[in-house]
Amino acid sequence: MYRVMDGAGTRGQILVIGAVAIALVLVGLGVVLNSVLYADTQAAQERATSGGDTLRFQQSLDNAIGGSIFYANYDDHESYATLLERVENGTQGWVDR
């Protein structure tokens, strides 16, 4: 005849409850790691696109100084000192910043 030992019926239930608890912990850990990776990706995209002001300033600086040098060389100068003086006068506002 089949005989049930004391406490043998509850061992299976405890095993199932433990397995479900471990599964919930793993799912929770996956959600937390996924949200951390998502936040890091969003922050990296913000850092990658936040350099626009710096690039615009650099481009305007290149255009302004390039224009000053172009117009300084536009006329025929009798000496290098005159040319250098015109370039320095044209770029003085950018150097002081």
Side-chain angles (χ1 to χ4, degrees):
M1 187 103 201
Y2 181 74
R3 186 171 159 219
V4 177
M5 299 183 98
D6 196 19
T10 59
R11 273 191 258 161
Q13 291 174 350
I14 291 175
L15 184 64
V16 169
I17 290 172
V20 168
I22 290 173
L24 289 176
V25 167
L26 290 176
V27 168
L29 185 63
V31 168
V32 168
L33 289 176
N34 191 21
S35 61
V36 166
L37 290 175
Y38 177 75
D40 186 47
T41 302
Q42 292 293 356
Q45 286 178 353
E46 279 187 35
R47 286 190 301 265
T49 59
S50 66
D53 293 336
T54 305
L55 291 175
R56 281 192 291 278
F57 177 76
Q58 182 181 3
Q59 288 171 349
S60 66
L61 181 66
D62 289 345
N63 290 338
I65 291 179
S68 295
I69 292 172
F70 173 78
Y71 286 114
N73 284 322
Y74 190 72
D75 294 329
D76 188 24
H77 300 286
E78 61 274 353
S79 70
Y80 178 75
T82 308
L83 176 64
L84 184 61
E85 181 182 343
R86 287 189 74 180
V87 170
E88 286 176 354
N89 289 339
T91 58
Q92 189 62 39
W94 289 96
V95 173
D96 290 340
R97 291 185 184 189

